[in-house]
Amino acid sequence: MLKRIPAIEMSGISKRFPGVSANDNINFKVYPGEIHALLGENGAGKSTLMSILAGLYRPDSGKIKIKGEAVKLRSPGNALEAGIGMIYQHFRLVSNFTIAENIILGTKNKKIGINKEQIESDIRSFSSSFGMEINPADKIYQLSLGEQQRVEILKMLYRGCEILIMDEPTTVLTPGEVKELFKILRTMAEQGKGVVLITHKLDEVMEIADYVTVLRSGKVVGDGQISELDKQSLTRMMVGRDIVHSQAEGKKQIGELILAVDNLNVKGVRGNRAVSNLSFNLYKGEILAIAGVAGNGQKELIEAIAGLREIESGSIEYEGEEIQHYNVKARAVLGIRTVPEDRIGMGLVPNISIMDNSILRSYLQDEFKKGFLLDYPKIKEYARQIISDYNIVCSDIHHPVNYLSGGNLQKLLLGREIDGNPRVLAAAYPVRGLDVAASEDVYNLFFHEREKGTAILLILEDLEDVFRIADRVAVMYQGSIKKILEVENTSIDEIGSIMLGAEVMGEQYAEV
Amino acid sequence: MDIIALTALLAASIAAGTAILFAAAGELLTERSGILNLGVEGMMLVGAVLGFIVTVNTGNHWLGVIGALVGGGIMAALHAVVTISLRANQVVSGLALTIFGTGLSGFLGKNYEGAPMLYQFKDLNIPVLQDIPVLGPIFFQHDIMVFLAMILAAGMWYVLYRTSWGITIRSVGENPQAADAAGINVARVRYFCTISGGMLAGLGGAYISLVYAPTWQQNMTAGRGWIAVALVIFALWNPTRAILGAYLFGGVEALTFRLQTMGIHISSFFLVMFPYIVTILVLVLVTIRRRQDAGAPEALGLSYDREER
Amino acid sequence: MPKFRLIRREENSTLVGLMTPILSIIMAFVLGWLVLDLAGFNPALVYRKMFSGSLGTYYAVSETIVKAIPLMLAGLAVSLAFKMKLWNIGAEGQIYMGAFAASGVAVAVGDGSPFLLIPLTMLAGFIAGAAWGFIPGMLRAYGQVNETIITLMLNYVAIYWVDYLVFGPWKDPKSMGFPLAPILPSGAQLPVLGDSRVHLGLIFALIIAVIIYILIQHTRWGYEVRVLGESQAAARYAGINVAKNIMLVMLISGGIAGIAGMIEVSGITHRLQQDLSPGYGYTAIIVAWLARLNPFAIILVAFLFGALIVGGYAIQIVGVSFAITQVFQGIVLFFLLAGELFIKYRIILIKEEAG
């Protein structure tokens, strides 16, 4: 085999963030025409390494060569000029701009004035040459996340990128869209471009990648041709041990009806209808997962159940009582507790102490009152108890809550809500961004609650998790629940097709 | 009111609105890049005093204009360093700038207080156009600065919405992460817009001290800087609407001076209150009528840190 | 060329947090020296005059305290609003409205017991200031109207309103044509300390500082304010009524500033008059920020800025404009803002450019 020059060669890269060594002396190579998976758990340092390559972060030490030549990437602009484009997990698109404006953004232009029609028709033909049909005059906020991702890819191709880095690209896609994306990536590789796929999903690696580099705790722990590796060995490299997923014992007896949502309609932030004619029942002692592509009304649904978002019509019945006009406080007192998607900023208050955060939902209770003042000795004691009950690692409860790591933040938030003795517990994306160990801790808390007979509603993004955690799964598409299935009687493919909006045959659950 | 008086009133509105228009256009540009600068009043005052001092000492009002541009620009550069490079709170920095500018202009102008301005801009009556009945006297019989303000605001609209520079500036104000990822130097764009905005505020101040009320007095801008900030909100961050709004506020001011001659007897203290009350009412109506935040750049007031996680 | 980079600290530095206000003040004097020098003054002489005029004698110190009292009250007032990230820059107008109401009530009621009149005028001052804070608060709470601009516009309205009164309907016939309202009945005048002008308002300010501290740090309502100041979303999630608290905080903030106006009338001028405040409401913003919104620190910082104001009057003798005090205030605030960066970040020098 001929000795090929790598398109990218990173050597000895180190990068520290406060409290963590995100990258520790990492070597990484990508060859032209290769789909290279960068595998690792959340927090293993994958995104950091690629953000360095994209010019977003500067390494503390290390060298980067492109096509054999040493380069300094001081900004994303530098990286783009060097032919490296990165598509972040949160897309970097200006939502008030059109597709065309986003694509030409930052390109060097000799002419000052712009000819809109000309540019739009250029982009139209450019995109169809890659088999992507788009309308360049559409505004970004009108697009689904899958379409936005295509705009990001187009943007990079338009800039002439030779290396495309994609950070967890499949999380926002339905299984069908994933197949399409992989087709596009394959085409790009065949044209000699290098593709780096940052992921924590083994199945994806096995399906699409040619080569894999595995990171753990900021270090490279293994690499090799996919053809020479199997799932088991990759898992061991990634986690450092064989994963024993906790799973609740045996089949649970589903209890009585506790929460009935009927024909719910809720407006979204932009005044659009985010939740439309949505109905479902939730029973004591079950975990009902909601699956669906992000942005299909999940967030609004949770907020409507919590009492944080006004509903347009429909009803929410709790133990036979209509509660849709109750405010957040009243619902929390009844036992409806929610864990919002936005951990720090909604679930927890930034910049105030861990102690103060521990009473966010209970500061009005008489046990924390002494005369007309708050009883701080008691609050302190309470915060300490939460810390120890839920194994939260923290050096001082007087520190701002921001000092906690992601997993500890979520345990504090979830622990606090569980401590309020919920009878309905709803959580949005409870394990997003957490590593395997922290995710397991969080799921175990839910299992424990289920044992106690609490009804649990979870919005999950990972379908594999749905099958592992939930008793039933409700598939959400365009604001309504298309179908509710027992997890034992369904498959990822079936859920995936419903997520895409496939007609549900037979009995329409959503129509009551 | 007869047609001649009305014509005179409208012409005066344009003259009175010009200072606000310069300042508002500057603030609009600044805010479009995502930086909120509440120091407009301070920058206008420094522009006014420097324009006045330079003109008096050199006898050349164009040098005075340059002085005002430089003064406003340096003031804005302070805000830029503190908020862009040092990522400080933009509201507080703007307030600091206003307090600083108020003090600095008072300090520098102490010996010039009440001095008359002998060098003035002559009216530049546009041939042909000025002879159009009614419209001629309203729009085409003004000093050159009035035309400059109009052209500038219109030009700013063109740049913001019809050029790649405009896309760049707006993207930085809407989503600096996206602009950065597209290879745009966010800090550089913000510095450029903030400093240019300050220069325009300085120019607006100089228009007052050199043309509109040709003298120097402490605090002579009398809140026009704040009215300019309000005007940007009224204009929904669109320069063409800012032209309209500036002349509307100019009209309120012009009307204030004329009410008494029109036989309406109100205490002069209520008359001087009038523009501020109108500002409040306009701001309330505009904000309540539309959906909140419509038109505001999404990243307005937020500092950008690339490595923030 | 050395290169710098900012690295986020793992924990905010308390040392830098304490040092920045002090360094900011020192830097203001250093830069002020340059400004004075460039303007052709003798900085050493000016600073000496400034110091002796504000702190050099018993009388000077007492005058400094006199100026510090309204700064304490106005500083406490705005700090409360700032805690919730409500930019109340209308303390100046709220002071004028408080002074107007206090003077109006005192003159209308006529003489009586101080135990009745002082609480009564204080209440009047509070209510008028509160109303002036409530207007922008309500607009912000229910209409999302920018409170910064509204509070500032209301300053002008309040100042011209007082001008109207003292030049017009309230003008004292005995004032020989000067724009002065009638003198307050003696029962409404605040008692003073010895032969100085230091009045009972100082005690009011100290009591209010303690009350604010307890309210914010140790009550349920204070907890709500602290949560709201950091995140409205979290506050809604906790079931806190956002609109009600915005209005309440603006109302109390305005009310305390109104008391500052009341004590100026009943403690110092003893009548409503023009130019009642040399910009206390604006200086209060700096006082509050320099004190990091801590009520006790506000008392201390207000004293320093009281000295700056009195010193500013003193240096007019050598021909320096009083406006220089505002230059100082601006510089202090700029350095303070710049310094805040170093509480959160460390600066490191990079030897070799990596990557």
Side-chain angles (χ1 to χ4, degrees), chain B residues 123-135:
Chain B
D123 275 359
L124 191 78
N125 298 332
I126 310 268
V128 187
L129 290 178
Q130 69 149 320
D131 299 324
I132 303 172
V134 188
L135 293 181

Side-chain angles (χ1 to χ4, degrees), chain A residues 15-19 58-64 71-74 308 328-329 338-340 345-352 356-357 359-361 363-366 369 372-374 376 395 399 403 413 416-417, chain C residues 3-13 85 214-224 226-241 244-245 343-344 346 348 350 352-355:
Chain A
K15 172 78 181 171
R16 277 190 64 82
F17 284 110
R58 295 213 211 158
D60 298 335
S61 62
K63 289 194 169 60
I64 299 172
V71 288
K72 292 196 168 162
L73 303 171
R74 293 198 182 82
L308 288 165
V328 194
K329 251 182 219 168
T338 48
V339 174
M346 186 181 246
L348 298 166
V349 191
N351 301 323
I352 75 171
D356 277 333
N357 266 293
I359 57 161
L360 185 63
R361 299 266 266 174
Y363 71 98
L364 286 177
Q365 279 170 18
D366 285 336
K369 209 174 105 171
F372 52 90
L373 300 181
L374 285 167
Y376 264 103
S395 52
H399 274 169
Y403 287 9
L413 172 49
R416 185 188 68 201
E417 294 309 303
Chain C
K3 284 190 186 287
F4 300 98
R5 266 171 69 190
L6 295 170
I7 303 289
R8 185 129 204 162
R9 288 176 194 272
E10 289 173 27
E11 287 181 14
N12 291 353
S13 162
K85 301 216 167 69
I214 292 172
L215 267 180
I216 294 296
Q217 297 301 330
H218 290 279
T219 69
R220 290 170 170 184
W221 181 66
Y223 180 82
E224 293 185 352
R226 282 185 289 138
V227 170
L228 252 170
E230 292 299 339
S231 165
Q232 286 211 3
R236 289 198 308 122
Y237 172 72
I240 295 168
N241 187 331
K244 188 191 90 184
N245 277 306
I343 298 173
K344 283 192 206 146
R346 273 180 303 134
I348 57 160
I350 4 179
E352 181 201 6
E353 183 76 348

Side-chain angles (χ1 to χ4, degrees), chain A residues 8-177:
Chain A
I8 298 290
E9 184 173 2
M10 299 174 86
S11 48
I13 301 288
S14 293
K15 172 78 181 171
R16 277 190 64 82
F17 284 110
V20 282
S21 176
N23 286 166
D24 183 5
N25 196 22
I26 288 181
N27 297 319
F28 180 75
K29 275 183 210 167
V30 183
Y31 288 95
E34 173 183 86
I35 297 183
H36 192 132
L38 186 56
L39 181 69
E41 283 193 64
N42 282 320
K46 302 166 299 203
S47 301
T48 304
L49 183 68
M50 287 302 103
S51 296
I52 288 171
L53 188 54
L56 195 71
Y57 296 162
R58 295 213 211 158
D60 298 335
S61 62
K63 289 194 169 60
I64 299 172
K65 280 185 189 170
I66 294 177
K67 289 181 190 152
E69 275 176 53
V71 288
K72 292 196 168 162
L73 303 171
R74 293 198 182 82
S75 69
N78 283 167
L80 282 168
E81 279 162 30
I84 302 166
M86 175 154 172
I87 297 174
Y88 300 87
Q89 227 176 330
H90 292 117
F91 300 141
R92 305 282 162 109
L93 296 169
V94 183
S95 60
N96 284 332
F97 279 17
T98 64
I99 293 177
E101 284 171 325
N102 270 286
I103 289 177
I104 64 162
L105 183 63
T107 53
K108 298 279 179 284
N109 215 333
K110 287 205 188 68
K111 269 190 299 179
I112 290 168
I114 46 174
N115 181 345
K116 237 170 144 178
E117 285 72 32
Q118 182 67 44
I119 288 170
E120 283 174 7
S121 84
D122 280 358
I123 286 172
R124 203 187 300 273
S125 55
F126 181 78
S127 63
S128 48
S129 75
F130 285 90
M132 292 186 250
E133 297 304 326
I134 49 147
N135 177 13
D138 283 347
K139 296 269 173 88
I140 297 298
Y141 63 76
Q142 302 172 315
L143 307 179
S144 75
L145 289 170
E147 290 168 317
Q148 291 184 19
Q149 190 178 58
R150 250 166 285 159
V151 175
E152 282 275 30
I153 296 173
L154 271 176
K155 192 170 91 178
M156 296 308 165
L157 292 173
Y158 190 80
R159 304 282 297 247
C161 286
E162 287 299 311
I163 295 285
L164 184 71
I165 306 161
M166 298 193 81
D167 192 353
E168 303 279 2
T170 58
T171 37
V172 298
L173 303 179
T174 62
E177 286 176 315

Side-chain angles (χ1 to χ4, degrees), chain C residues 325-343:
Chain C
T325 58
Q326 283 175 308
V327 175
F328 273 108
Q329 293 176 14
I331 297 175
V332 169
L333 195 46
F334 271 125
F335 274 101
L336 193 71
L337 285 171
E340 273 174 13
L341 180 84
F342 305 109
I343 298 173

Side-chain angles (χ1 to χ4, degrees), chain B residues 120-285:
Chain B
Q120 294 198 11
F121 286 92
K122 285 190 193 66
D123 275 359
L124 191 78
N125 298 332
I126 310 268
V128 187
L129 290 178
Q130 69 149 320
D131 299 324
I132 303 172
V134 188
L135 293 181
I138 295 175
F139 290 106
F140 303 111
Q141 298 179 5
H142 289 288
D143 58 89
I144 189 166
M145 300 285 273
V146 170
F147 300 117
L148 197 67
M150 289 184 202
I151 293 165
L152 197 108
M156 191 175 288
W157 177 85
Y158 179 79
V159 168
L160 282 176
Y161 293 100
R162 289 289 180 272
T163 69
S164 54
W165 292 351
I167 292 179
T168 299
I169 291 170
R170 285 187 292 131
S171 74
V172 167
E174 293 282 343
N175 186 341
Q177 280 84 5
D180 192 15
I184 291 164
N185 187 331
V186 172
R188 189 185 296 167
V189 172
R190 287 186 162 180
Y191 264 95
F192 171 81
C193 291
T194 306
I195 292 174
S196 315
M199 290 168 80
L200 291 180
L203 193 57
Y207 185 77
I208 297 172
S209 67
L210 296 182
V211 185
Y212 187 66
T215 180
W216 165 250
Q217 259 183 336
Q218 234 187 319
N219 287 330
M220 73 182 302
T221 50
R224 285 184 184 84
W226 290 98
I227 292 178
V229 176
L231 186 56
V232 176
I233 298 171
F234 168 81
L236 304 177
W237 290 265
N238 180 337
T240 46
R241 277 188 63 129
I243 301 180
L244 201 80
Y247 295 154
L248 184 82
F249 280 106
V252 171
E253 204 179 305
L255 190 66
T256 303
F257 285 121
R258 279 169 176 75
L259 275 179
Q260 274 178 323
T261 61
M262 283 156 50
I264 298 164
H265 292 290
I266 306 175
S267 161
S268 63
F269 294 106
F270 289 127
L271 290 178
V272 288
M273 249 186 236
F274 195 47
Y276 308 109
I277 292 174
V278 170
T279 306
I280 292 172
L281 293 178
V282 166
L283 197 59
V284 169
L285 287 176

Side-chain angles (χ1 to χ4, degrees), chain C residues 19 39 47 68 77 107 117 127 130 139 164 210 261 266 273:
Chain C
M19 288 303 290
Y47 280 2
V107 171
L117 279 180
I127 291 174
L139 292 172
Y164 161 73
V210 173
S266 45
Q273 62 181 47

